[in-house]
Amino acid sequence: MAEKQIHEQSIEELYAEANEHTINVGDVKIHAKRMGGKFRNLKWLSNLVWIVFFIGPYLRLGDRQAILLDIPERQFHIFNLTLLPQDLWMLSFVLLFFAILLAVVTALAGRIWCGFFCFQTVWTDVFTWIEDKFEGSPAKRRKLDKAKWDMPKIMIRAKKYSVWLLISILTGISFVAWFTDAYDLWVDLFTLNASSTAYITVFLFIGGTMFLAGFLREQTCFWLCPYARIQAVMIDDTSIVPSYDVPRGEKRGRLLKGKPASEDQGDCVDCNQCVAVCPTGVDIRGGQQEGCIMCGLCIDACDAVMEKINKPIGLIKYASWDGIMGKEEKPLHKRPRVWVYTAILLISIIGVVTGLSGMESLELKVLHARQPLFVVQSDGTIQNHYTLKVLNKMNEDMKVSISANDDDFKGLTMIGADKEIVAAHGTVTAVTIFVKVPRKNLTEKSQPIVFNVEGKDGQGKLYQSKRESVFIGPKR
Ligand code: SF4
Ligand code: SF4
């Protein structure tokens, strides 16, 4: 039989189960009560974001995986974009962006990431939902924990562990699938042809998922997560987080049948339902704590209780401590840290956009030889020595030709550019070029020279890249 929801339970029933739910001090497993509500629905919806993790590797673009983090080939393909190690400087801006985004969100609204998106809480939520389906209400689960290992208990646990294991296997395979062809991976894994790295990674993920989401679960958020430790310095009295309305709720006291509430009694009827539904076993009435992942499930629970006793909802609500205590709340634009965070976010966005917009499929770099800067040939021409580095970011090798702006250098000849040059895909191809110019045609000791590399892909599309260098001669 499905567990009764708060609105279906009498206040006496709520009190009867109130003491079963204890605050998390790390010594007992938390069996949270599951109930419907606004934040519960929001949590399911946000959990769905992780579907991308499972289906992303199966998207195709032409004959390859649309998103492929190809570490052996040192190429990251993201749809039409190919990133090589040379482009990874942009990663620092991307990391900066997400680090600051996390800081901004935490400063404004606490651990929203933890409550709704973090893989640890999402997987734990799914695992405990499965546990709830096989083992029943929190009271039944606690009883089963203490029961001896007879056949019924073995059967229930075997079913639960089997489903957990299945999800863990899928998690491990899905992770590896981002780094190799996803379809081939399945075949290779089951025909024992996958690499040892793939097997080790899948097994590590299976073990890690079972341990962290199945067995350690809320204790990870409470005791292990480093983010929980640093959030205390990121949030302040203006941060909007799940908060218990202390002036309204206190002095808390139970409703006694047939007896009126005392005059100084607040709206909290001490039913413990906010603790009962908390996935990390926090009593939010004690103020903000490290273990609170700000999922808002205690808000759902308390609102249901308030409706039951005909009081306004919102005894626990998303609010700042200043708001709860009736202080004037500073608008966002008057908070210095919002401006600092916004500036850093903008810098990181500009960095990534600049990097992406400046990316070419074919890139050219020119190195002018320093020793010697030039050579005077026996026929009176001046020769300069260059190394041209052609970076081909496409998925196929490409025949390229190299030229220079001979309009500015009458009689210019190039040695090394006349042979067939194949720019290998995903790497840099170095080409040695000697440029000769008759001495009489040089007007300056040092003149700019522009090199051009161009080639066509299999579909006949032209790609080219230009780079300026200098041509150096003797003093005039
Ligand atoms: S805050 Fe709400 S849910 Fe929690 S004990 Fe008080 S009345 Fe019950
Ligand atoms: S105290 Fe409330 S918001 Fe915080 S983790 Fe528990 S249920 Fe979620």
Side-chain angles (χ1 to χ4, degrees), residues 242 274 277-280 282 284 291-298:
C274 47
V277 298
C278 178
T280 56
V282 162
I284 192 72
C292 175
I293 56 170
M294 305 194 184
C295 60
L297 297 182
C298 53

PDB file of all heavy atoms in Angstrom, residues 242 274 277-280 282 284 291-298, ligand 2:
ATOM      1  N   PRO A 242      16.052  28.319   1.661  1.00  0.00           N
ATOM      2  CA  PRO A 242      14.939  27.815   2.482  1.00  0.00           C
ATOM      3  C   PRO A 242      15.154  28.220   3.948  1.00  0.00           C
ATOM      4  O   PRO A 242      16.195  27.923   4.528  1.00  0.00           O
ATOM      5  CB  PRO A 242      15.014  26.289   2.299  1.00  0.00           C
ATOM      6  CG  PRO A 242      15.718  26.104   1.002  1.00  0.00           C
ATOM      7  CD  PRO A 242      16.712  27.230   0.920  1.00  0.00           C
ATOM      8  N   CYS A 274       9.021  18.474   8.598  1.00  0.00           N
ATOM      9  CA  CYS A 274      10.114  19.090   7.819  1.00  0.00           C
ATOM     10  C   CYS A 274      11.392  18.268   7.935  1.00  0.00           C
ATOM     11  O   CYS A 274      12.165  18.161   6.986  1.00  0.00           O
ATOM     12  CB  CYS A 274      10.344  20.540   8.265  1.00  0.00           C
ATOM     13  SG  CYS A 274      10.413  20.754  10.038  1.00  0.00           S
ATOM     14  N   VAL A 277      10.934  14.668   5.853  1.00  0.00           N
ATOM     15  CA  VAL A 277      11.102  14.629   4.389  1.00  0.00           C
ATOM     16  C   VAL A 277      12.502  15.051   3.943  1.00  0.00           C
ATOM     17  O   VAL A 277      12.845  14.922   2.767  1.00  0.00           O
ATOM     18  CB  VAL A 277      10.070  15.539   3.678  1.00  0.00           C
ATOM     19  CG1 VAL A 277       8.661  15.078   3.947  1.00  0.00           C
ATOM     20  CG2 VAL A 277      10.268  16.997   4.044  1.00  0.00           C
ATOM     21  N   CYS A 278      13.294  15.567   4.874  1.00  0.00           N
ATOM     22  CA  CYS A 278      14.601  16.108   4.473  1.00  0.00           C
ATOM     23  C   CYS A 278      15.545  14.983   4.056  1.00  0.00           C
ATOM     24  O   CYS A 278      15.858  14.097   4.855  1.00  0.00           O
ATOM     25  CB  CYS A 278      15.210  16.907   5.625  1.00  0.00           C
ATOM     26  SG  CYS A 278      16.846  17.522   5.175  1.00  0.00           S
ATOM     27  N   PRO A 279      16.035  15.006   2.818  1.00  0.00           N
ATOM     28  CA  PRO A 279      16.905  13.905   2.356  1.00  0.00           C
ATOM     29  C   PRO A 279      18.237  13.838   3.079  1.00  0.00           C
ATOM     30  O   PRO A 279      18.896  12.809   3.067  1.00  0.00           O
ATOM     31  CB  PRO A 279      17.104  14.200   0.868  1.00  0.00           C
ATOM     32  CG  PRO A 279      16.768  15.634   0.677  1.00  0.00           C
ATOM     33  CD  PRO A 279      15.796  15.997   1.756  1.00  0.00           C
ATOM     34  N   THR A 280      18.645  14.948   3.733  1.00  0.00           N
ATOM     35  CA  THR A 280      19.922  14.893   4.455  1.00  0.00           C
ATOM     36  C   THR A 280      19.715  14.912   5.973  1.00  0.00           C
ATOM     37  O   THR A 280      20.681  15.008   6.731  1.00  0.00           O
ATOM     38  CB  THR A 280      20.842  16.072   4.042  1.00  0.00           C
ATOM     39  OG1 THR A 280      20.150  17.295   4.266  1.00  0.00           O
ATOM     40  CG2 THR A 280      21.247  15.992   2.590  1.00  0.00           C
ATOM     41  N   VAL A 282      18.181  17.197   8.003  1.00  0.00           N
ATOM     42  CA  VAL A 282      18.448  18.486   8.659  1.00  0.00           C
ATOM     43  C   VAL A 282      17.156  19.002   9.301  1.00  0.00           C
ATOM     44  O   VAL A 282      16.067  18.809   8.764  1.00  0.00           O
ATOM     45  CB  VAL A 282      18.961  19.504   7.602  1.00  0.00           C
ATOM     46  CG1 VAL A 282      18.833  20.927   8.095  1.00  0.00           C
ATOM     47  CG2 VAL A 282      20.411  19.201   7.244  1.00  0.00           C
ATOM     48  N   ILE A 284      15.599  22.308   9.676  1.00  0.00           N
ATOM     49  CA  ILE A 284      15.789  23.667   9.165  1.00  0.00           C
ATOM     50  C   ILE A 284      15.427  24.714  10.222  1.00  0.00           C
ATOM     51  O   ILE A 284      15.840  25.870  10.140  1.00  0.00           O
ATOM     52  CB  ILE A 284      14.947  23.871   7.867  1.00  0.00           C
ATOM     53  CG1 ILE A 284      15.315  25.146   7.123  1.00  0.00           C
ATOM     54  CG2 ILE A 284      13.456  23.877   8.162  1.00  0.00           C
ATOM     55  CD1 ILE A 284      16.628  25.113   6.440  1.00  0.00           C
ATOM     56  N   GLY A 291      24.588  20.821   6.077  1.00  0.00           N
ATOM     57  CA  GLY A 291      23.949  19.661   5.427  1.00  0.00           C
ATOM     58  C   GLY A 291      22.772  20.009   4.550  1.00  0.00           C
ATOM     59  O   GLY A 291      22.298  19.169   3.781  1.00  0.00           O
ATOM     60  N   CYS A 292      22.279  21.239   4.615  1.00  0.00           N
ATOM     61  CA  CYS A 292      21.085  21.602   3.838  1.00  0.00           C
ATOM     62  C   CYS A 292      21.458  21.775   2.374  1.00  0.00           C
ATOM     63  O   CYS A 292      22.291  22.614   2.038  1.00  0.00           O
ATOM     64  CB  CYS A 292      20.477  22.883   4.389  1.00  0.00           C
ATOM     65  SG  CYS A 292      19.096  23.470   3.387  1.00  0.00           S
ATOM     66  N   ILE A 293      20.834  20.977   1.499  1.00  0.00           N
ATOM     67  CA  ILE A 293      21.129  21.086   0.063  1.00  0.00           C
ATOM     68  C   ILE A 293      20.107  21.991  -0.638  1.00  0.00           C
ATOM     69  O   ILE A 293      20.095  22.085  -1.856  1.00  0.00           O
ATOM     70  CB  ILE A 293      21.198  19.696  -0.612  1.00  0.00           C
ATOM     71  CG1 ILE A 293      19.907  18.908  -0.375  1.00  0.00           C
ATOM     72  CG2 ILE A 293      22.418  18.916  -0.128  1.00  0.00           C
ATOM     73  CD1 ILE A 293      19.795  17.649  -1.201  1.00  0.00           C
ATOM     74  N   MET A 294      19.249  22.614   0.145  1.00  0.00           N
ATOM     75  CA  MET A 294      18.304  23.632  -0.355  1.00  0.00           C
ATOM     76  C   MET A 294      17.360  23.111  -1.431  1.00  0.00           C
ATOM     77  O   MET A 294      17.106  23.771  -2.432  1.00  0.00           O
ATOM     78  CB  MET A 294      19.067  24.865  -0.832  1.00  0.00           C
ATOM     79  CG  MET A 294      19.946  25.344   0.290  1.00  0.00           C
ATOM     80  SD  MET A 294      20.625  26.951   0.114  1.00  0.00           S
ATOM     81  CE  MET A 294      21.645  27.009   1.582  1.00  0.00           C
ATOM     82  N   CYS A 295      16.875  21.894  -1.189  1.00  0.00           N
ATOM     83  CA  CYS A 295      15.971  21.274  -2.169  1.00  0.00           C
ATOM     84  C   CYS A 295      14.541  21.768  -2.012  1.00  0.00           C
ATOM     85  O   CYS A 295      13.713  21.562  -2.898  1.00  0.00           O
ATOM     86  CB  CYS A 295      16.016  19.765  -2.010  1.00  0.00           C
ATOM     87  SG  CYS A 295      15.519  19.223  -0.366  1.00  0.00           S
ATOM     88  N   GLY A 296      14.214  22.358  -0.884  1.00  0.00           N
ATOM     89  CA  GLY A 296      12.865  22.906  -0.681  1.00  0.00           C
ATOM     90  C   GLY A 296      11.819  21.868  -0.294  1.00  0.00           C
ATOM     91  O   GLY A 296      10.640  22.199  -0.150  1.00  0.00           O
ATOM     92  N   LEU A 297      12.232  20.594  -0.083  1.00  0.00           N
ATOM     93  CA  LEU A 297      11.232  19.567   0.234  1.00  0.00           C
ATOM     94  C   LEU A 297      10.575  19.824   1.592  1.00  0.00           C
ATOM     95  O   LEU A 297       9.408  19.478   1.802  1.00  0.00           O
ATOM     96  CB  LEU A 297      11.871  18.173   0.205  1.00  0.00           C
ATOM     97  CG  LEU A 297      12.430  17.740  -1.160  1.00  0.00           C
ATOM     98  CD1 LEU A 297      13.004  16.343  -1.096  1.00  0.00           C
ATOM     99  CD2 LEU A 297      11.349  17.809  -2.243  1.00  0.00           C
ATOM    100  N   CYS A 298      11.318  20.469   2.507  1.00  0.00           N
ATOM    101  CA  CYS A 298      10.720  20.796   3.807  1.00  0.00           C
ATOM    102  C   CYS A 298       9.632  21.863   3.643  1.00  0.00           C
ATOM    103  O   CYS A 298       8.693  21.934   4.448  1.00  0.00           O
ATOM    104  CB  CYS A 298      11.791  21.261   4.796  1.00  0.00           C
ATOM    105  SG  CYS A 298      12.821  22.594   4.172  1.00  0.00           S
TER     106      CYS A 298
HETATM  107  S1  SF4 B   2      16.423  21.421   5.261  1.00  0.00           S
HETATM  108 FE1  SF4 B   2      14.844  21.564   3.671  1.00  0.00          FE
HETATM  109  S2  SF4 B   2      15.844  22.533   1.946  1.00  0.00           S
HETATM  110 FE2  SF4 B   2      17.453  21.831   3.349  1.00  0.00          FE
HETATM  111  S3  SF4 B   2      17.995  19.816   2.568  1.00  0.00           S
HETATM  112 FE3  SF4 B   2      16.465  19.499   4.141  1.00  0.00          FE
HETATM  113  S4  SF4 B   2      14.526  19.445   3.009  1.00  0.00           S
HETATM  114 FE4  SF4 B   2      16.031  20.306   1.637  1.00  0.00          FE
END
